[in-house]
Amino acid sequence: MPAPEDQKSRGRKPAVIGLFLILFLVLSLCFFPPAGAQEYDYTINAYALYFEVTSPDNVKENIEIDLTSHTNLTRYVIYTDYPVENASAVIDLGGTVERVNVTVRKVLGGTNAVYLSFPVLKPGQSGRISLSFTTRGMVTESNGKSQFAYYVKFSQPVGVFHMQLLVPKGYAVLSPIIPSPDRVESSTDRLLLEWQREDVQSGDEFYFVVGFSGEIVVPEAPSPWLYVGVFLIGLLTGGGGVYGYLLYRERKLREESGHLRSDEEKILAILREGPVLQSELAEKLGVSKAKVSITLREMEEKGLITRVKEGRTYRVFLRE
């Protein structure tokens, strides 16, 4: 029978080999992560934007982000080209609501960076961030009507993207409406438009443009006899009324296209003096960056201009 110390000596070899295998496996995972490993620090399950036009100049904006962390997450940053005033935020940690520290700073190009600091989200933990603030610059006036414009681009995938625009009582939505809303709801005190997209990919961008009239003053209720007279006149002049309406719509379309041509002509006149950065065009024209982006995209499709990526913006050239 072999001595006991010989048996103990042979038993160490498998243990040593096992330790080397475990160490090799750990190092392999560190330097060569398996396919499907998380590319981002968190997953955005849902991203929602809510806009409420409170006056011709001001808009109340609310951003809600539902995310799941893959690391110890304590901060989230939102970038916007519009001013941020009276900002406040909370985070819902699944039944527990905590306050979020909000800091707004100017970064390169005049963009506002909104830093949201909150209690640590551990790997696998989900939270819903809700940020509210007042802003301006999204609503512009043109030819007696207002226009809301907003642009958003995502730097990572989003499960569900939702946007809502609330226009107050006394306003009527007019063309253009880009893109067509998935839902329109009208009531006595508001007009609501909603859009929703699923499986948004990194780099996807969205333009939202909605035209609406100025405030409508509701007159006092007229005499019932007036309704009778209007009804009789309508019977007699129904055909003429339809024809007049068609002429009116055609005139409005001409006015809108004429206004668009006017914007294009201004841009072409500027570009004849040399290439210009897209961000500078908005300042020269006195319009929002979103509106300039939409107009340039249409001009590029028509073959009038060429845009070349330069930093975080584009340099615009006149196509010969």
Side-chain angles (χ1 to χ4, degrees):
M1 174 180 289
E5 55 268 22
D6 293 337
Q7 294 181 1
K8 187 175 181 181
S9 175
R10 286 196 299 270
R12 285 199 186 105
K13 294 181 180 179
V16 172
I17 294 174
L19 287 174
F20 275 110
L21 289 175
I22 293 173
L23 180 61
F24 176 78
L25 180 60
V26 171
L27 292 175
S28 298
L29 290 174
C30 292
F31 291 98
F32 304 99
Q38 294 296 340
E39 182 179 355
Y40 304 98
D41 290 341
Y42 48 82
T43 296
I44 301 180
N45 307 310
Y47 194 103
L49 294 169
Y50 300 94
F51 299 96
E52 180 180 358
V53 179
T54 56
S55 73
D57 299 319
N58 295 322
V59 173
K60 182 178 180 181
E61 181 174 352
N62 182 264
I63 303 175
E64 291 188 358
I65 308 151
D66 187 314
L67 53 83
T68 301
S69 179
H70 304 307
T71 182
N72 288 328
L73 186 68
T74 58
R75 191 175 74 167
Y76 189 91
V77 185
I78 296 174
Y79 297 95
T80 175
D81 292 330
Y82 300 98
V84 177
E85 301 173 354
N86 303 319
S88 64
V90 296
I91 182 169
D92 187 341
L93 300 174
T96 302
V97 178
E98 302 282 352
R99 292 183 60 85
V100 172
N101 183 39
V102 181
T103 304
V104 181
R105 295 176 183 170
K106 289 281 187 181
V107 296
L108 186 64
T111 299
N112 286 305
V114 185
Y115 296 91
L116 306 174
S117 300
F118 42 81
V120 61
L121 272 180
K122 297 180 180 179
Q125 187 177 7
S126 297
R128 178 184 290 270
I129 302 171
S130 180
L131 168 68
S132 299
F133 56 90
T134 302
T135 186
R136 60 184 180 275
M138 299 176 186
V139 179
T140 57
E141 297 286 336
S142 178
N143 293 338
K145 77 173 183 180
S146 301
Q147 181 170 281
F148 171 90
Y150 189 80
Y151 164 79
V152 60
K153 182 176 181 179
F154 291 98
S155 59
Q156 74 176 75
V158 174
V160 177
F161 170 51
H162 181 85
M163 169 152 163
Q164 182 183 95
L165 174 64
L166 185 63
V167 180
K169 177 183 178 181
Y171 290 81
V173 171
L174 307 172
S175 62
I177 302 178
I178 303 173
S180 297
D182 298 305
R183 177 188 172 209
V184 177
E185 178 184 299
S186 177
S187 63
T188 56
D189 60 348
R190 68 175 189 174
L191 182 62
L192 183 144
L193 298 92
E194 288 186 344
W195 297 263
Q196 183 164 305
R197 301 291 183 270
E198 297 183 0
D199 297 325
V200 177
Q201 300 302 310
S202 175
D204 283 357
E205 54 187 0
F206 301 93
Y207 295 91
F208 297 93
V209 180
V210 178
F212 55 92
S213 68
E215 187 172 0
I216 301 171
V217 179
V218 181
E220 296 181 0
S223 169
W225 289 105
L226 179 60
Y227 291 107
V228 175
V230 171
F231 176 72
L232 293 175
I233 294 173
L235 290 177
L236 296 174
T237 61
V242 172
Y243 180 69
Y245 172 77
L246 294 175
L247 290 179
Y248 168 78
R249 290 295 298 167
E250 184 178 353
R251 180 172 61 84
K252 290 294 290 183
L253 290 174
R254 284 201 301 269
E255 289 178 356
E256 292 176 0
S257 81
H259 174 64
L260 180 59
R261 285 195 299 272
S262 176
D263 286 344
E264 292 180 347
E265 290 170 359
K266 291 178 182 178
I267 293 174
L268 291 175
I270 294 173
L271 293 179
R272 290 190 183 100
E273 300 178 1
V276 180
L277 290 176
Q278 181 171 318
S279 56
E280 295 177 356
L281 282 175
E283 298 177 2
K284 292 178 181 291
L285 297 174
V287 299
S288 67
K289 295 180 180 180
K291 185 176 181 181
V292 168
S293 297
I294 294 171
T295 303
L296 291 176
R297 183 178 62 180
E298 294 175 349
M299 294 177 69
E300 194 170 26
E301 292 174 352
K302 295 177 182 178
L304 299 175
I305 62 165
T306 300
R307 291 189 294 175
V308 178
K309 188 70 174 179
E310 186 169 315
R312 297 181 62 186
T313 183
Y314 291 89
R315 186 168 294 275
V316 185
F317 298 84
L318 183 65
R319 180 174 291 181
E320 299 296 337

